[in-house]
Each structure stands twice: as structure tokens, then as C-alpha cells.
Amino acid sequence: MTRLPMMAGNWKMNNTISEAVVLTQELSYQLEHDWDDVEVVLCPPYTDLKPVLTVLDYDKSAVKVAAQNVFWEEKGAFTGEISVRMIKEIGCAYSIVGHSERREIFEESDESVNKKVKALVAAGLGAIVCVGESLFVRDEGIALMFVEGQLRAAFAGLEPNDAAKCVVAYEPIWAIGTGRTATPEQAEEVCAMLRETIAHMFGGACAEEMRILYGGSMNTGNVDMLLAMPNIDGGLVGGASLEAASFSQLVKACRK
Ligand code: 13P
């Protein structure tokens, strides 16, 4: 089975509405219209979701939109949080869950990641589940074990058909925003382990179907080598997604 590659741009806390509209228009123009061989996803901040979707709708673009985070409760007294129903109604197809910046800065736990994944799939949305080790963990020689633990915790208690709605992103923390990319072999070693773990948890068919992305200083110079690896099905990109020229190059790299 051949998996549809995915290129997702995580804008993080960048772009006001006016900046987001310009970037989406530029991107939509550069990506052309006639393609169905890669799934392109933009992950803007909450305030930009609607404006970005409006531009994409106007352009009849196939580009999808994801939130960067979501809360698992349906509604109520949770000041500052956004529910799955809210991002679904606005038109999001996915939400990123468990990005290392949320785990580190906002102390998100494996348990809260699992609750968010469950809330998303229950509503028919997909989760882009981030896993990845720190430099300390890698230097200790326990990166594979650590990342496997994160994956198992994130997907605990899911049914195979719900797990299949999700995407996994391997993002080694030491490679995020540092310009220091994992080598294709380092990334492939972890991504192969992730697919094997999915096969153990949910069966071979689910593992074959699931997209596994690499994230961490992916750019136009290293994308081809990373995508050449058999278990890397695309990218979750930060810095290089903030310019239409570089992000559209990364999308095109998926189409070869
Ligand atoms: P950079 O591409 O800027 O390293 O960020 C990666 C990332 O964290 C995407 O979620």
C-alpha cells in the first residue's frame, strides 16, 4: 500500500490575521490547483484559522487546516481553552497534539495527550501526534525506548479504526529550530520503530496506512534525503513553513 504523503506547516505563534492572509494567498498561488498526490496542511494560531480557511475556500484549494492544540472537555468553565467542537465547526481536519513545546513549556503530560487524541477521534477529526526525545535522552542511549513510551501512551485505549485517523510526527527536540537536523538514518530508525509499535498495538493494516512524519529543521536542502526513507511519509515543518517559497518547495518534494 502506498501512503499519501503529508506536508504540514506548523506556524506556531507567528502571523497576525493580515500576515496569515497574505501568506495563505501566496502559498495557494504557488501550489497550483491540480494535485491529489500530497496532503497539505496548514496549522495557524487559533486567531488565524477562520481567515486562512476563508482564503482557501475562495481559492477552492485542497489545502487542509489544523489547530495547533485543543482541549478534551466538550464545554464549560475552562478559561482560555478551545474545544474539539469549536475547531471542527470552523473547518479544521486535524489538531496537532503533544508538541514538545506544549509538553515542555505548558507541562502537558502523556495522559493529557491521550485525552486530546481520544476527544478528536470521537468527533471524527484526526490527531497529528508529536513524539520526540531531548538531547539528554538521546545521549543516554534510550531514545527509542522513550519515544515508544510516548507513542503507546498517546494511543492507549484507542480502537484501530480511530488510530488510523491519526498521523504521528517524530520531532527530536534537539533538532527543532536549531538548524541541526536528524540524519535520515537517525530519523528512519525511530520512524521504523514507531510503525512497528503501531503494528503491535493495532495490527499490520493500520500500521501500513498510518502516515509518520519527520519534524525538526526540515528545509529545502534536506527534505529529499529525509523523504527517501521508507518510513518517513512527509514533514511537520516550523521555520520553513513561514515563507510561501520554501514551504511550496517542500510540498513539491513530496510529489516526486
Ligand atoms: P522547525 O522546522 O522550525 O525546526 O520546527 C519543527 C517543529 O517543531 C514543527 O512542529
Side-chain angles (χ1 to χ4, degrees):
M1 177 186 169
T2 49
R3 293 176 288 273
L4 182 67
M6 174 183 281
M7 190 52 70
N10 177 8
W11 292 1
K12 308 191 179 184
M13 198 175 74
N14 291 292
N15 293 327
T16 63
I17 291 176
S18 49
E19 291 162 347
V21 165
V22 171
L23 177 55
T24 309
Q25 284 171 332
E26 284 175 357
L27 200 59
S28 168
Y29 177 74
Q30 291 189 19
L31 285 180
E32 309 145 18
H33 281 277
D34 265 347
W35 43 267
D36 54 7
D37 47 0
V38 51
E39 187 174 358
V40 183
V41 183
L42 300 181
C43 315
Y46 290 130
T47 46
D48 294 340
L49 288 173
K50 189 69 186 166
V52 166
L53 277 154
T54 303
V55 172
L56 295 173
D57 282 349
Y58 183 82
D59 286 354
K60 299 192 172 32
S61 169
V63 172
K64 294 182 182 166
V65 170
Q68 295 176 12
N69 179 37
V70 75
F71 192 50
W72 61 81
E73 292 287 355
E74 265 180 42
K75 58 164 135 174
F78 304 104
T79 302
E81 295 297 322
I82 300 281
S83 72
V84 171
R85 217 156 62 91
M86 291 168 183
I87 62 164
K88 185 175 180 177
E89 188 183 83
I90 227 169
C92 291
Y94 299 93
S95 177
I96 298 175
V97 177
H99 192 281
S100 60
E101 286 148 19
R102 296 217 55 88
R103 292 181 193 256
E104 287 200 324
I105 305 168
F106 302 98
E107 299 180 356
E108 283 196 359
S109 64
D110 282 340
E111 291 69 33
S112 63
V113 169
N114 181 239
K115 285 182 184 169
K116 291 176 182 194
V117 173
K118 284 179 172 161
L120 283 161
V121 297
L125 299 193
I128 301 174
V129 180
C130 299
V131 293
E133 82 286 358
S134 63
L135 193 55
F136 175 78
V137 167
R138 177 151 286 263
D139 287 346
E140 290 288 296
I142 54 170
L144 285 176
M145 199 178 75
F146 179 86
V147 176
E148 180 182 340
Q150 285 184 320
L151 182 79
R152 286 187 179 276
F155 282 91
L158 257 70
E159 295 298 326
N161 59 332
D162 283 336
K165 290 177 197 150
C166 299
V167 175
V168 178
Y170 169 54
E171 300 205 314
I173 297 170
W174 46 272
I176 295 178
T178 57
R180 180 181 164 189
T181 326
T183 64
E185 293 73 25
Q186 282 173 322
E188 170 62 17
E189 183 187 31
V190 177
C191 292
M193 174 280 293
L194 290 169
R195 197 174 308 283
E196 211 176 303
T197 306
I198 292 292
H200 281 139
M201 292 179 81
F202 302 111
C206 182
E208 266 306 296
E209 209 177 307
M210 188 169 296
R211 270 85 55 87
I212 301 179
L213 313 180
Y214 168 78
S217 299
M218 187 180 254
N219 59 41
T220 51
N222 58 34
V223 64
D224 289 333
M225 286 187 310
L226 287 159
L227 293 183
M229 295 291 125
N231 285 292
I232 300 179
D233 306 313
L236 181 57
V237 184
S241 74
L242 297 175
E243 298 283 339
S246 49
F247 190 63
S248 57
Q249 286 280 98
L250 296 180
V251 171
K252 282 172 189 158
C254 287
R255 307 183 57 193
K256 286 176 189 153

